[in-house]
Amino acid sequence: MSILILFVILIALLIIGTPIGVALCLSTLAGVIADGTPIVFFTQKLYNTFDSFPLMAIPFFLLAGDIMQRGTLANSLLGMCSSLVGHLRGGLVHISILTALFYGALCGSAAATVAAVGGIMIPAMVKEGYPNSFSTAVNASAGGLGVLIPPSVPLILYGATGGVSITGLFIAGIIPGILVAIAFMITAAVIIHKHDYGIRHPKTSAKERIKAIWDAKYAILVPVIVLGCIYGGITTPTEAGCIAVVYALVIETFVTRSMTLKLFRDCLASSMRMLSSIFLVIIGATALGVFLGYHNVDRMLIVAVHTLTSDASVFMALMLILLLLLGTILDSSACILIMTPLLVPLVRSYGVDTIHFGIFMTVALCIGFLTPPVGTNLFVACGISGLSIMQLSRAVLPFILAMLIVLLLITYIPQITLLLV
């Protein structure tokens, strides 16, 4: 009965538009009170959740991404990508996707990637004659690469919650992220060819390309240093996040001289606002997960699913449907934090690799960035372009289909994710 009360209140709060973190906290508190469970049990569990070294990677990567977005490093990546693919038919489209791919390796946030890349590229694409809806759809979709290309906030949350190697998840995310980017570029190219969008620009000379790459050297070094330290076993992801902040701050302050004290304060404030919303979701989702675990819901789930099927392929198909549905109504961070403690034991019982499942789960939930009513990328992109949510929801459908195709490949060909691991 207490679980029923919890979910009724949670659904009611979400329907009336309550922020997801607040809705999770209030509904779980109602369930605890109805159940008569000692509240001190939950306060201890919540304290233990935040006494977590891996979770400390999140604020560092958010701050590093903000510093680079407000400084010169993000723009230098844009210039490099422009010199490499700007001459292709629909060059600005490919520049947007390629820049989002690189920028994802700097910040680890989908919304931040849309804001940083889309804020520049959407107006530029419209000015060059692309429809506003198509320009916005490309950048909203490409923003999802921010959480597929490591470092990634959702992968950190999944690893910390499920006891899975975050380093292994980061390595496993590289090939799927590149595949999604290629799928987006192919989809965009087909649409451009069909509707004759875009203008061909002259091909840049080899000298100009080398200069653009040289100008972007400090930005290129960020993923090389950060991911190299993690994969080389030199640092943990959290320590690598600290290195990213220090590196970005030193480069923007002393080399490019774009960082001022006021701008740094703005970076801190912006990162703290984003972090507070993420951590509020973590609090509520962790409390809900503890409550469900207290009532052995995870064990009941294992028994229930095994009665439906004993085949791992059918199980993954069921998980695909479940995660796609949850992604439309829940923020990805909340979904990962709620479902991971329940699903990881179930995944292991079917013999599915937990790193493979983590990438599968993240890609599935990425589609939720492009579907209302939650659709974080939709809201950020609409704020830039002025489109309505319904207009953009229609425009992103081809890119959702492209991501679904890649997701099916990832689901049934585990080697795609586990090859580098």
PDB file of all heavy atoms in Angstrom, residues 254-291:
ATOM      1  N   PHE A 254      45.762  32.373 -18.747  1.00  0.00           N
ATOM      2  CA  PHE A 254      47.146  32.801 -19.004  1.00  0.00           C
ATOM      3  C   PHE A 254      47.596  32.659 -20.463  1.00  0.00           C
ATOM      4  O   PHE A 254      48.553  33.320 -20.867  1.00  0.00           O
ATOM      5  CB  PHE A 254      48.104  32.007 -18.107  1.00  0.00           C
ATOM      6  CG  PHE A 254      47.850  32.208 -16.639  1.00  0.00           C
ATOM      7  CD1 PHE A 254      47.283  31.199 -15.874  1.00  0.00           C
ATOM      8  CD2 PHE A 254      48.149  33.415 -16.029  1.00  0.00           C
ATOM      9  CE1 PHE A 254      47.036  31.383 -14.522  1.00  0.00           C
ATOM     10  CE2 PHE A 254      47.909  33.608 -14.675  1.00  0.00           C
ATOM     11  CZ  PHE A 254      47.348  32.595 -13.923  1.00  0.00           C
ATOM     12  N   VAL A 255      46.915  31.792 -21.235  1.00  0.00           N
ATOM     13  CA  VAL A 255      47.343  31.592 -22.626  1.00  0.00           C
ATOM     14  C   VAL A 255      46.463  32.417 -23.574  1.00  0.00           C
ATOM     15  O   VAL A 255      46.960  33.278 -24.307  1.00  0.00           O
ATOM     16  CB  VAL A 255      47.310  30.096 -23.008  1.00  0.00           C
ATOM     17  CG1 VAL A 255      47.727  29.906 -24.465  1.00  0.00           C
ATOM     18  CG2 VAL A 255      48.229  29.307 -22.092  1.00  0.00           C
ATOM     19  N   THR A 256      45.148  32.149 -23.577  1.00  0.00           N
ATOM     20  CA  THR A 256      44.255  32.908 -24.461  1.00  0.00           C
ATOM     21  C   THR A 256      43.808  34.223 -23.837  1.00  0.00           C
ATOM     22  O   THR A 256      43.307  35.099 -24.542  1.00  0.00           O
ATOM     23  CB  THR A 256      43.008  32.074 -24.806  1.00  0.00           C
ATOM     24  OG1 THR A 256      42.245  31.830 -23.616  1.00  0.00           O
ATOM     25  CG2 THR A 256      43.400  30.729 -25.412  1.00  0.00           C
ATOM     26  N   ARG A 257      43.956  34.340 -22.521  1.00  0.00           N
ATOM     27  CA  ARG A 257      43.612  35.569 -21.764  1.00  0.00           C
ATOM     28  C   ARG A 257      42.151  35.992 -21.964  1.00  0.00           C
ATOM     29  O   ARG A 257      41.836  37.171 -22.042  1.00  0.00           O
ATOM     30  CB  ARG A 257      44.555  36.720 -22.151  1.00  0.00           C
ATOM     31  CG  ARG A 257      46.013  36.440 -21.831  1.00  0.00           C
ATOM     32  CD  ARG A 257      46.884  37.642 -22.151  1.00  0.00           C
ATOM     33  NE  ARG A 257      48.293  37.364 -21.879  1.00  0.00           N
ATOM     34  CZ  ARG A 257      48.860  37.444 -20.683  1.00  0.00           C
ATOM     35  NH1 ARG A 257      48.132  37.827 -19.647  1.00  0.00           N
ATOM     36  NH2 ARG A 257      50.135  37.176 -20.530  1.00  0.00           N
ATOM     37  N   SER A 258      41.274  35.002 -22.058  1.00  0.00           N
ATOM     38  CA  SER A 258      39.847  35.306 -22.230  1.00  0.00           C
ATOM     39  C   SER A 258      39.065  35.261 -20.917  1.00  0.00           C
ATOM     40  O   SER A 258      37.930  35.724 -20.856  1.00  0.00           O
ATOM     41  CB  SER A 258      39.226  34.315 -23.209  1.00  0.00           C
ATOM     42  OG  SER A 258      39.314  32.994 -22.693  1.00  0.00           O
ATOM     43  N   MET A 259      39.676  34.696 -19.875  1.00  0.00           N
ATOM     44  CA  MET A 259      38.974  34.515 -18.605  1.00  0.00           C
ATOM     45  C   MET A 259      39.247  35.696 -17.666  1.00  0.00           C
ATOM     46  O   MET A 259      40.391  36.058 -17.425  1.00  0.00           O
ATOM     47  CB  MET A 259      39.419  33.201 -17.951  1.00  0.00           C
ATOM     48  CG  MET A 259      38.691  32.843 -16.652  1.00  0.00           C
ATOM     49  SD  MET A 259      36.900  32.679 -16.839  1.00  0.00           S
ATOM     50  CE  MET A 259      36.787  31.386 -18.073  1.00  0.00           C
ATOM     51  N   THR A 260      38.165  36.288 -17.189  1.00  0.00           N
ATOM     52  CA  THR A 260      38.260  37.360 -16.188  1.00  0.00           C
ATOM     53  C   THR A 260      37.647  36.867 -14.889  1.00  0.00           C
ATOM     54  O   THR A 260      36.968  35.829 -14.864  1.00  0.00           O
ATOM     55  CB  THR A 260      37.513  38.612 -16.660  1.00  0.00           C
ATOM     56  OG1 THR A 260      36.112  38.290 -16.797  1.00  0.00           O
ATOM     57  CG2 THR A 260      38.053  39.107 -17.999  1.00  0.00           C
ATOM     58  N   LEU A 261      37.859  37.630 -13.817  1.00  0.00           N
ATOM     59  CA  LEU A 261      37.303  37.241 -12.521  1.00  0.00           C
ATOM     60  C   LEU A 261      35.779  37.210 -12.576  1.00  0.00           C
ATOM     61  O   LEU A 261      35.150  36.296 -12.044  1.00  0.00           O
ATOM     62  CB  LEU A 261      37.787  38.206 -11.438  1.00  0.00           C
ATOM     63  CG  LEU A 261      37.382  37.859 -10.000  1.00  0.00           C
ATOM     64  CD1 LEU A 261      37.924  36.490  -9.609  1.00  0.00           C
ATOM     65  CD2 LEU A 261      37.880  38.924  -9.023  1.00  0.00           C
ATOM     66  N   LYS A 262      35.180  38.196 -13.249  1.00  0.00           N
ATOM     67  CA  LYS A 262      33.717  38.228 -13.361  1.00  0.00           C
ATOM     68  C   LYS A 262      33.207  37.032 -14.151  1.00  0.00           C
ATOM     69  O   LYS A 262      32.210  36.399 -13.770  1.00  0.00           O
ATOM     70  CB  LYS A 262      33.276  39.523 -14.043  1.00  0.00           C
ATOM     71  CG  LYS A 262      31.758  39.648 -14.194  1.00  0.00           C
ATOM     72  CD  LYS A 262      31.380  40.914 -14.923  1.00  0.00           C
ATOM     73  CE  LYS A 262      29.861  41.028 -15.030  1.00  0.00           C
ATOM     74  NZ  LYS A 262      29.228  39.883 -15.703  1.00  0.00           N
ATOM     75  N   LEU A 263      33.884  36.706 -15.261  1.00  0.00           N
ATOM     76  CA  LEU A 263      33.470  35.571 -16.076  1.00  0.00           C
ATOM     77  C   LEU A 263      33.614  34.263 -15.306  1.00  0.00           C
ATOM     78  O   LEU A 263      32.765  33.368 -15.414  1.00  0.00           O
ATOM     79  CB  LEU A 263      34.319  35.531 -17.354  1.00  0.00           C
ATOM     80  CG  LEU A 263      33.850  34.580 -18.466  1.00  0.00           C
ATOM     81  CD1 LEU A 263      32.428  34.924 -18.901  1.00  0.00           C
ATOM     82  CD2 LEU A 263      34.791  34.658 -19.660  1.00  0.00           C
ATOM     83  N   PHE A 264      34.673  34.157 -14.500  1.00  0.00           N
ATOM     84  CA  PHE A 264      34.860  32.945 -13.696  1.00  0.00           C
ATOM     85  C   PHE A 264      33.755  32.806 -12.655  1.00  0.00           C
ATOM     86  O   PHE A 264      33.268  31.702 -12.405  1.00  0.00           O
ATOM     87  CB  PHE A 264      36.232  32.966 -13.024  1.00  0.00           C
ATOM     88  CG  PHE A 264      36.532  31.725 -12.208  1.00  0.00           C
ATOM     89  CD1 PHE A 264      36.526  30.475 -12.804  1.00  0.00           C
ATOM     90  CD2 PHE A 264      36.806  31.817 -10.855  1.00  0.00           C
ATOM     91  CE1 PHE A 264      36.785  29.330 -12.071  1.00  0.00           C
ATOM     92  CE2 PHE A 264      37.066  30.674 -10.112  1.00  0.00           C
ATOM     93  CZ  PHE A 264      37.056  29.429 -10.716  1.00  0.00           C
ATOM     94  N   ARG A 265      33.354  33.939 -12.057  1.00  0.00           N
ATOM     95  CA  ARG A 265      32.228  33.894 -11.103  1.00  0.00           C
ATOM     96  C   ARG A 265      30.951  33.437 -11.806  1.00  0.00           C
ATOM     97  O   ARG A 265      30.163  32.671 -11.243  1.00  0.00           O
ATOM     98  CB  ARG A 265      32.025  35.271 -10.463  1.00  0.00           C
ATOM     99  CG  ARG A 265      33.058  35.634  -9.412  1.00  0.00           C
ATOM    100  CD  ARG A 265      32.545  36.735  -8.491  1.00  0.00           C
ATOM    101  NE  ARG A 265      32.222  37.948  -9.242  1.00  0.00           N
ATOM    102  CZ  ARG A 265      33.044  38.977  -9.403  1.00  0.00           C
ATOM    103  NH1 ARG A 265      34.251  38.943  -8.853  1.00  0.00           N
ATOM    104  NH2 ARG A 265      32.687  40.033 -10.091  1.00  0.00           N
ATOM    105  N   ASP A 266      30.745  33.909 -13.041  1.00  0.00           N
ATOM    106  CA  ASP A 266      29.565  33.483 -13.810  1.00  0.00           C
ATOM    107  C   ASP A 266      29.616  31.973 -14.088  1.00  0.00           C
ATOM    108  O   ASP A 266      28.586  31.289 -14.039  1.00  0.00           O
ATOM    109  CB  ASP A 266      29.485  34.249 -15.133  1.00  0.00           C
ATOM    110  CG  ASP A 266      29.168  35.722 -14.942  1.00  0.00           C
ATOM    111  OD1 ASP A 266      28.673  36.074 -13.854  1.00  0.00           O
ATOM    112  OD2 ASP A 266      29.429  36.510 -15.877  1.00  0.00           O
ATOM    113  N   CYS A 267      30.807  31.477 -14.394  1.00  0.00           N
ATOM    114  CA  CYS A 267      30.982  30.033 -14.632  1.00  0.00           C
ATOM    115  C   CYS A 267      30.633  29.233 -13.385  1.00  0.00           C
ATOM    116  O   CYS A 267      29.944  28.212 -13.452  1.00  0.00           O
ATOM    117  CB  CYS A 267      32.420  29.735 -15.051  1.00  0.00           C
ATOM    118  SG  CYS A 267      32.874  30.332 -16.681  1.00  0.00           S
ATOM    119  N   LEU A 268      31.128  29.690 -12.241  1.00  0.00           N
ATOM    120  CA  LEU A 268      30.839  29.006 -10.973  1.00  0.00           C
ATOM    121  C   LEU A 268      29.345  28.999 -10.685  1.00  0.00           C
ATOM    122  O   LEU A 268      28.774  27.965 -10.310  1.00  0.00           O
ATOM    123  CB  LEU A 268      31.592  29.683  -9.826  1.00  0.00           C
ATOM    124  CG  LEU A 268      33.105  29.444  -9.745  1.00  0.00           C
ATOM    125  CD1 LEU A 268      33.712  30.321  -8.651  1.00  0.00           C
ATOM    126  CD2 LEU A 268      33.406  27.978  -9.465  1.00  0.00           C
ATOM    127  N   ALA A 269      28.691  30.170 -10.885  1.00  0.00           N
ATOM    128  CA  ALA A 269      27.253  30.269 -10.597  1.00  0.00           C
ATOM    129  C   ALA A 269      26.452  29.368 -11.528  1.00  0.00           C
ATOM    130  O   ALA A 269      25.538  28.653 -11.097  1.00  0.00           O
ATOM    131  CB  ALA A 269      26.800  31.724 -10.735  1.00  0.00           C
ATOM    132  N   SER A 270      26.790  29.383 -12.827  1.00  0.00           N
ATOM    133  CA  SER A 270      26.071  28.560 -13.804  1.00  0.00           C
ATOM    134  C   SER A 270      26.248  27.071 -13.508  1.00  0.00           C
ATOM    135  O   SER A 270      25.279  26.299 -13.539  1.00  0.00           O
ATOM    136  CB  SER A 270      26.593  28.885 -15.209  1.00  0.00           C
ATOM    137  OG  SER A 270      26.056  28.008 -16.152  1.00  0.00           O
ATOM    138  N   SER A 271      27.471  26.668 -13.193  1.00  0.00           N
ATOM    139  CA  SER A 271      27.746  25.255 -12.887  1.00  0.00           C
ATOM    140  C   SER A 271      27.028  24.820 -11.621  1.00  0.00           C
ATOM    141  O   SER A 271      26.497  23.703 -11.547  1.00  0.00           O
ATOM    142  CB  SER A 271      29.247  25.026 -12.738  1.00  0.00           C
ATOM    143  OG  SER A 271      29.928  25.341 -13.920  1.00  0.00           O
ATOM    144  N   MET A 272      26.984  25.703 -10.628  1.00  0.00           N
ATOM    145  CA  MET A 272      26.307  25.360  -9.369  1.00  0.00           C
ATOM    146  C   MET A 272      24.805  25.211  -9.567  1.00  0.00           C
ATOM    147  O   MET A 272      24.172  24.353  -8.952  1.00  0.00           O
ATOM    148  CB  MET A 272      26.600  26.417  -8.308  1.00  0.00           C
ATOM    149  CG  MET A 272      28.004  26.363  -7.729  1.00  0.00           C
ATOM    150  SD  MET A 272      28.389  24.753  -6.995  1.00  0.00           S
ATOM    151  CE  MET A 272      27.228  24.714  -5.644  1.00  0.00           C
ATOM    152  N   ARG A 273      24.218  26.059 -10.440  1.00  0.00           N
ATOM    153  CA  ARG A 273      22.781  25.927 -10.710  1.00  0.00           C
ATOM    154  C   ARG A 273      22.477  24.583 -11.366  1.00  0.00           C
ATOM    155  O   ARG A 273      21.528  23.890 -10.981  1.00  0.00           O
ATOM    156  CB  ARG A 273      22.307  27.076 -11.613  1.00  0.00           C
ATOM    157  CG  ARG A 273      22.093  28.389 -10.878  1.00  0.00           C
ATOM    158  CD  ARG A 273      21.322  29.384 -11.734  1.00  0.00           C
ATOM    159  NE  ARG A 273      22.104  29.788 -12.910  1.00  0.00           N
ATOM    160  CZ  ARG A 273      22.923  30.824 -12.933  1.00  0.00           C
ATOM    161  NH1 ARG A 273      23.078  31.563 -11.842  1.00  0.00           N
ATOM    162  NH2 ARG A 273      23.584  31.139 -14.027  1.00  0.00           N
ATOM    163  N   MET A 274      23.299  24.215 -12.356  1.00  0.00           N
ATOM    164  CA  MET A 274      23.097  22.925 -13.022  1.00  0.00           C
ATOM    165  C   MET A 274      23.346  21.769 -12.061  1.00  0.00           C
ATOM    166  O   MET A 274      22.599  20.783 -12.030  1.00  0.00           O
ATOM    167  CB  MET A 274      24.022  22.821 -14.238  1.00  0.00           C
ATOM    168  CG  MET A 274      23.747  21.623 -15.125  1.00  0.00           C
ATOM    169  SD  MET A 274      24.833  21.526 -16.571  1.00  0.00           S
ATOM    170  CE  MET A 274      24.333  22.991 -17.452  1.00  0.00           C
ATOM    171  N   LEU A 275      24.394  21.897 -11.238  1.00  0.00           N
ATOM    172  CA  LEU A 275      24.737  20.840 -10.293  1.00  0.00           C
ATOM    173  C   LEU A 275      23.650  20.657  -9.241  1.00  0.00           C
ATOM    174  O   LEU A 275      23.312  19.529  -8.868  1.00  0.00           O
ATOM    175  CB  LEU A 275      26.073  21.162  -9.621  1.00  0.00           C
ATOM    176  CG  LEU A 275      26.598  20.140  -8.616  1.00  0.00           C
ATOM    177  CD1 LEU A 275      26.946  18.835  -9.328  1.00  0.00           C
ATOM    178  CD2 LEU A 275      27.819  20.684  -7.888  1.00  0.00           C
ATOM    179  N   SER A 276      23.087  21.765  -8.756  1.00  0.00           N
ATOM    180  CA  SER A 276      22.058  21.672  -7.713  1.00  0.00           C
ATOM    181  C   SER A 276      20.827  20.935  -8.238  1.00  0.00           C
ATOM    182  O   SER A 276      20.215  20.139  -7.510  1.00  0.00           O
ATOM    183  CB  SER A 276      21.676  23.065  -7.212  1.00  0.00           C
ATOM    184  OG  SER A 276      21.159  23.855  -8.261  1.00  0.00           O
ATOM    185  N   SER A 277      20.462  21.183  -9.502  1.00  0.00           N
ATOM    186  CA  SER A 277      19.300  20.481 -10.064  1.00  0.00           C
ATOM    187  C   SER A 277      19.591  18.991 -10.216  1.00  0.00           C
ATOM    188  O   SER A 277      18.730  18.146  -9.960  1.00  0.00           O
ATOM    189  CB  SER A 277      18.913  21.089 -11.412  1.00  0.00           C
ATOM    190  OG  SER A 277      19.942  20.912 -12.361  1.00  0.00           O
ATOM    191  N   ILE A 278      20.837  18.651 -10.624  1.00  0.00           N
ATOM    192  CA  ILE A 278      21.222  17.236 -10.762  1.00  0.00           C
ATOM    193  C   ILE A 278      21.229  16.556  -9.397  1.00  0.00           C
ATOM    194  O   ILE A 278      20.701  15.448  -9.226  1.00  0.00           O
ATOM    195  CB  ILE A 278      22.607  17.115 -11.432  1.00  0.00           C
ATOM    196  CG1 ILE A 278      22.546  17.557 -12.892  1.00  0.00           C
ATOM    197  CG2 ILE A 278      23.122  15.669 -11.356  1.00  0.00           C
ATOM    198  CD1 ILE A 278      23.903  17.618 -13.571  1.00  0.00           C
ATOM    199  N   PHE A 279      21.808  17.214  -8.398  1.00  0.00           N
ATOM    200  CA  PHE A 279      21.921  16.597  -7.074  1.00  0.00           C
ATOM    201  C   PHE A 279      20.574  16.493  -6.368  1.00  0.00           C
ATOM    202  O   PHE A 279      20.368  15.589  -5.559  1.00  0.00           O
ATOM    203  CB  PHE A 279      22.926  17.371  -6.216  1.00  0.00           C
ATOM    204  CG  PHE A 279      24.349  16.878  -6.375  1.00  0.00           C
ATOM    205  CD1 PHE A 279      24.735  16.197  -7.514  1.00  0.00           C
ATOM    206  CD2 PHE A 279      25.299  17.076  -5.387  1.00  0.00           C
ATOM    207  CE1 PHE A 279      26.021  15.728  -7.678  1.00  0.00           C
ATOM    208  CE2 PHE A 279      26.603  16.608  -5.542  1.00  0.00           C
ATOM    209  CZ  PHE A 279      26.965  15.929  -6.690  1.00  0.00           C
ATOM    210  N   LEU A 280      19.645  17.409  -6.658  1.00  0.00           N
ATOM    211  CA  LEU A 280      18.302  17.276  -6.087  1.00  0.00           C
ATOM    212  C   LEU A 280      17.631  16.023  -6.643  1.00  0.00           C
ATOM    213  O   LEU A 280      16.960  15.284  -5.907  1.00  0.00           O
ATOM    214  CB  LEU A 280      17.460  18.514  -6.416  1.00  0.00           C
ATOM    215  CG  LEU A 280      16.039  18.529  -5.832  1.00  0.00           C
ATOM    216  CD1 LEU A 280      16.080  18.462  -4.307  1.00  0.00           C
ATOM    217  CD2 LEU A 280      15.278  19.775  -6.287  1.00  0.00           C
ATOM    218  N   VAL A 281      17.835  15.767  -7.932  1.00  0.00           N
ATOM    219  CA  VAL A 281      17.308  14.541  -8.542  1.00  0.00           C
ATOM    220  C   VAL A 281      17.980  13.316  -7.922  1.00  0.00           C
ATOM    221  O   VAL A 281      17.318  12.301  -7.644  1.00  0.00           O
ATOM    222  CB  VAL A 281      17.532  14.560 -10.071  1.00  0.00           C
ATOM    223  CG1 VAL A 281      17.196  13.203 -10.683  1.00  0.00           C
ATOM    224  CG2 VAL A 281      16.696  15.641 -10.720  1.00  0.00           C
ATOM    225  N   ILE A 282      19.292  13.409  -7.679  1.00  0.00           N
ATOM    226  CA  ILE A 282      20.021  12.291  -7.064  1.00  0.00           C
ATOM    227  C   ILE A 282      19.457  11.985  -5.680  1.00  0.00           C
ATOM    228  O   ILE A 282      19.255  10.818  -5.325  1.00  0.00           O
ATOM    229  CB  ILE A 282      21.528  12.616  -6.965  1.00  0.00           C
ATOM    230  CG1 ILE A 282      22.152  12.643  -8.358  1.00  0.00           C
ATOM    231  CG2 ILE A 282      22.256  11.581  -6.096  1.00  0.00           C
ATOM    232  CD1 ILE A 282      23.606  13.063  -8.374  1.00  0.00           C
ATOM    233  N   ILE A 283      19.184  13.034  -4.883  1.00  0.00           N
ATOM    234  CA  ILE A 283      18.622  12.838  -3.538  1.00  0.00           C
ATOM    235  C   ILE A 283      17.292  12.089  -3.621  1.00  0.00           C
ATOM    236  O   ILE A 283      17.072  11.076  -2.952  1.00  0.00           O
ATOM    237  CB  ILE A 283      18.419  14.186  -2.824  1.00  0.00           C
ATOM    238  CG1 ILE A 283      19.773  14.807  -2.460  1.00  0.00           C
ATOM    239  CG2 ILE A 283      17.586  14.008  -1.554  1.00  0.00           C
ATOM    240  CD1 ILE A 283      19.661  16.223  -1.922  1.00  0.00           C
ATOM    241  N   GLY A 284      16.370  12.615  -4.459  1.00  0.00           N
ATOM    242  CA  GLY A 284      15.045  12.006  -4.562  1.00  0.00           C
ATOM    243  C   GLY A 284      15.086  10.598  -5.125  1.00  0.00           C
ATOM    244  O   GLY A 284      14.423   9.689  -4.610  1.00  0.00           O
ATOM    245  N   ALA A 285      15.893  10.408  -6.171  1.00  0.00           N
ATOM    246  CA  ALA A 285      15.965   9.088  -6.802  1.00  0.00           C
ATOM    247  C   ALA A 285      16.619   8.065  -5.885  1.00  0.00           C
ATOM    248  O   ALA A 285      16.212   6.894  -5.849  1.00  0.00           O
ATOM    249  CB  ALA A 285      16.728   9.193  -8.115  1.00  0.00           C
ATOM    250  N   THR A 286      17.648   8.496  -5.142  1.00  0.00           N
ATOM    251  CA  THR A 286      18.312   7.583  -4.201  1.00  0.00           C
ATOM    252  C   THR A 286      17.350   7.163  -3.098  1.00  0.00           C
ATOM    253  O   THR A 286      17.286   5.982  -2.719  1.00  0.00           O
ATOM    254  CB  THR A 286      19.550   8.257  -3.581  1.00  0.00           C
ATOM    255  OG1 THR A 286      20.441   8.646  -4.615  1.00  0.00           O
ATOM    256  CG2 THR A 286      20.263   7.311  -2.624  1.00  0.00           C
ATOM    257  N   ALA A 287      16.590   8.132  -2.573  1.00  0.00           N
ATOM    258  CA  ALA A 287      15.613   7.816  -1.522  1.00  0.00           C
ATOM    259  C   ALA A 287      14.573   6.819  -2.037  1.00  0.00           C
ATOM    260  O   ALA A 287      14.214   5.860  -1.346  1.00  0.00           O
ATOM    261  CB  ALA A 287      14.927   9.096  -1.041  1.00  0.00           C
ATOM    262  N   LEU A 288      14.107   7.035  -3.266  1.00  0.00           N
ATOM    263  CA  LEU A 288      13.133   6.115  -3.851  1.00  0.00           C
ATOM    264  C   LEU A 288      13.747   4.728  -4.032  1.00  0.00           C
ATOM    265  O   LEU A 288      13.120   3.710  -3.721  1.00  0.00           O
ATOM    266  CB  LEU A 288      12.646   6.661  -5.199  1.00  0.00           C
ATOM    267  CG  LEU A 288      11.686   5.771  -5.985  1.00  0.00           C
ATOM    268  CD1 LEU A 288      10.432   5.473  -5.170  1.00  0.00           C
ATOM    269  CD2 LEU A 288      11.309   6.430  -7.312  1.00  0.00           C
ATOM    270  N   GLY A 289      14.999   4.692  -4.528  1.00  0.00           N
ATOM    271  CA  GLY A 289      15.669   3.403  -4.715  1.00  0.00           C
ATOM    272  C   GLY A 289      15.850   2.648  -3.413  1.00  0.00           C
ATOM    273  O   GLY A 289      15.665   1.426  -3.352  1.00  0.00           O
ATOM    274  N   VAL A 290      16.208   3.377  -2.351  1.00  0.00           N
ATOM    275  CA  VAL A 290      16.368   2.748  -1.029  1.00  0.00           C
ATOM    276  C   VAL A 290      15.036   2.200  -0.540  1.00  0.00           C
ATOM    277  O   VAL A 290      14.953   1.088   0.010  1.00  0.00           O
ATOM    278  CB  VAL A 290      16.946   3.769  -0.024  1.00  0.00           C
ATOM    279  CG1 VAL A 290      16.886   3.217   1.407  1.00  0.00           C
ATOM    280  CG2 VAL A 290      18.381   4.128  -0.384  1.00  0.00           C
ATOM    281  N   PHE A 291      13.971   2.977  -0.744  1.00  0.00           N
ATOM    282  CA  PHE A 291      12.640   2.563  -0.297  1.00  0.00           C
ATOM    283  C   PHE A 291      12.209   1.280  -1.020  1.00  0.00           C
ATOM    284  O   PHE A 291      11.691   0.337  -0.406  1.00  0.00           O
ATOM    285  CB  PHE A 291      11.637   3.681  -0.560  1.00  0.00           C
ATOM    286  CG  PHE A 291      10.255   3.411  -0.022  1.00  0.00           C
ATOM    287  CD1 PHE A 291       9.977   3.578   1.326  1.00  0.00           C
ATOM    288  CD2 PHE A 291       9.244   2.993  -0.863  1.00  0.00           C
ATOM    289  CE1 PHE A 291       8.707   3.319   1.830  1.00  0.00           C
ATOM    290  CE2 PHE A 291       7.980   2.737  -0.378  1.00  0.00           C
ATOM    291  CZ  PHE A 291       7.704   2.900   0.976  1.00  0.00           C
TER     292      PHE A 291
END
